[in-house]
Amino acid sequence: MALSFVPPRLTLDPDVLVGNETHDDAGIYRLTADQALVQTVDFLTPVVDDPELFGKVAAANSLSDVYAMGGVPVTALNLLAVPEGVLSPQEVGAMLQGGQSILDQASCRLLGGHSIDDNEPKMGYAVTGLVHPDHIWRNSTAQVGNLLYLSKPIGSGVVIKAVKDGEASQEMTQSVIAMMTTLNQAASEAIKTVGDPTACTDVTGFGLLGHSWEMAEGAGVAITIEASRVPVLPGARELADQGRFPSGSRRNLDYVRPHLDAEPKIGVNTLTLLADAVTSGGLLFTVKQENAALLEAAFRQSKIPLYWIGWVEEGPPLVRVLA
Ligand code: CO
Ligand code: CO
């Protein structure tokens, strides 16, 4: 979910375990004492030219919110907007095929969908997952003393802009596509081998700083990030140093700025990179310090990346950025 307005409070039903009050990643509705539905919807305009790759990114991005809540995706419905006569049936087929291949990886069944004629292509999925009501991963429950981890590099906004401007190297293009088409499934499974994180979300449209602020605000804590520990995609640092951001990155920084306490020596380009909007980003989560060694071992064993980027301190709620 990415809401910049205050939606109406929908319901007081006690089975609504996660509604729209805490800006969490998905809604959760309890079915029985040991099973709850996780529901989320996301769709995107094309981030890459290749229709099959775009379909993969759209699917991985839509599934991510289920993993971010600790859930397992079960079914999906496709959302598709296609400019009639602009995209060929083959291209539309490739988009859907790309999405299907990612749903298959997630063992998530496609049950149907809906398409409309629109000026700009858009694609995504409404995804339903399952989670045990006692093992929901919220974004608002980080605890003082926890460590903060991230499972994928940031910087996709700046790199995608360079790709669209025809200024990205092959390595930059391949890395950003690999990042965006990687499911958060393996990261979520690695976390589960250790137990529930104290809080979890995924890094998407509001960028690392924006989603960290949601965590800080939700739990009333200060989140400290060491900028030098934050992983960035190949080329992102150099593009940031030249200030070549999409306009959304600066808007993201403006939005989070009142809640930031950054060391003065950290330049505006570094902060803007940290605020850069991410598409299909990694899991951002907190764990108790005593679980850190086991957690890092679980990720090493699964051969998936994990980056320790900060920790949680007592409030007032803010995001502190150290060099
Ligand atoms: Co979302
Ligand atoms: Co999310």
Side-chain angles (χ1 to χ4, degrees), residues 181-287:
T181 55
T182 298
L183 281 172
N184 281 325
Q185 178 181 31
S188 139
E189 285 168 2
I191 295 170
K192 283 178 188 176
T193 64
V194 182
D196 295 323
T198 49
C200 184
T201 188
D202 57 346
V203 179
T204 52
F206 295 138
L208 175 64
L209 293 183
H211 290 284
S212 296
W213 164 242
E214 286 184 338
M215 281 185 134
E217 185 185 32
V221 296
I223 293 207
T224 299
I225 294 173
E226 277 192 14
S228 60
R229 293 186 179 277
V230 175
V232 300
L233 287 164
R237 178 81 255 177
E238 293 71 22
L239 291 163
D241 286 343
Q242 297 161 25
R244 285 155 66 180
F245 294 103
S247 56
S249 317
R250 295 202 173 85
R251 277 200 303 277
N252 273 358
L253 181 58
D254 288 345
Y255 165 81
V256 77
R257 179 83 82 168
H259 316 293
L260 279 189
D261 173 17
E263 277 190 295
K265 65 179 166 189
I266 301 174
V268 68
N269 284 338
T270 297
L271 287 181
T272 313
L273 179 58
L274 292 173
D276 185 44
V278 175
T279 300
S280 193
L283 297 181
L284 175 69
F285 60 99
T286 53
V287 300

Side-chain angles (χ1 to χ4, degrees), residues 150-155 208 227-233 306-309:
L150 177 63
S151 71
K152 286 185 188 180
I154 64 163
L208 175 64
S228 60
R229 293 186 179 277
V230 175
V232 300
L233 287 164
L306 178 69
Y307 310 90
W308 172 55
I309 62 165

Side-chain angles (χ1 to χ4, degrees), residues 4-5 14 62 67 78 100 103 115 121 123 142 183 189 194 232 239 249-250 297:
S4 52
F5 57 92
S62 298
Y67 295 121
N78 177 259
Q100 186 62 49
L103 293 181
S115 62
M123 181 164 148
L183 281 172
E189 285 168 2
V194 182
V232 300
L239 291 163
S249 317
R250 295 202 173 85

Side-chain angles (χ1 to χ4, degrees), residues 6-249:
V6 179
R9 195 185 156 86
L10 294 178
T11 173
L12 294 168
D13 185 336
D15 287 322
V16 175
L17 303 182
V18 178
N20 55 11
E21 306 83 30
T22 53
H23 311 286
D24 220 319
D25 296 291
I28 298 194
Y29 183 77
R30 180 168 47 208
L31 296 174
T32 66
D34 55 12
Q35 205 161 59
L37 286 180
V38 185
Q39 295 199 288
T40 176
V41 59
D42 253 297
F43 57 97
L44 301 170
T45 55
V47 285
V48 287
D49 277 341
D50 183 298
E52 186 180 353
L53 289 177
F54 171 48
K56 288 186 177 187
V57 174
N61 183 65
S62 298
L63 289 159
S64 179
D65 281 328
V66 176
Y67 295 121
M69 300 302 295
V72 174
V74 178
T75 60
L77 299 168
N78 177 259
L79 304 159
L80 186 64
V82 177
E84 225 174 296
V86 176
L87 284 184
S88 70
Q90 288 76 17
E91 287 172 312
V92 177
M95 282 162 61
L96 293 170
Q97 197 54 50
Q100 186 62 49
S101 71
I102 295 293
L103 293 181
D104 289 345
Q105 277 182 39
S107 303
C108 183
R109 299 86 169 166
L110 183 71
L111 298 188
H114 184 74
S115 62
I116 60 163
D117 183 18
D118 199 358
N119 294 333
E120 193 178 13
K122 297 173 188 75
M123 181 164 148
Y125 294 87
V127 183
T128 299
L130 292 172
V131 69
H132 191 292
D134 299 337
H135 297 280
I136 296 168
W137 301 354
R138 298 167 198 269
N139 68 351
S140 56
T141 43
Q143 303 159 348
V144 174
N146 288 172
L147 299 180
L148 180 70
Y149 286 89
L150 177 63
S151 71
K152 286 185 188 180
I154 64 163
S156 71
V158 271
V159 175
I160 289 166
K161 181 177 185 299
V163 172
K164 286 185 171 167
D165 293 345
E167 289 167 356
S169 68
Q170 208 177 5
E171 189 209 0
M172 286 161 65
T173 306
Q174 282 171 355
S175 304
V176 70
I177 287 171
M179 187 284 286
M180 294 187 297
T181 55
T182 298
L183 281 172
N184 281 325
Q185 178 181 31
S188 139
E189 285 168 2
I191 295 170
K192 283 178 188 176
T193 64
V194 182
D196 295 323
T198 49
C200 184
T201 188
D202 57 346
V203 179
T204 52
F206 295 138
L208 175 64
L209 293 183
H211 290 284
S212 296
W213 164 242
E214 286 184 338
M215 281 185 134
E217 185 185 32
V221 296
I223 293 207
T224 299
I225 294 173
E226 277 192 14
S228 60
R229 293 186 179 277
V230 175
V232 300
L233 287 164
R237 178 81 255 177
E238 293 71 22
L239 291 163
D241 286 343
Q242 297 161 25
R244 285 155 66 180
F245 294 103
S247 56
S249 317

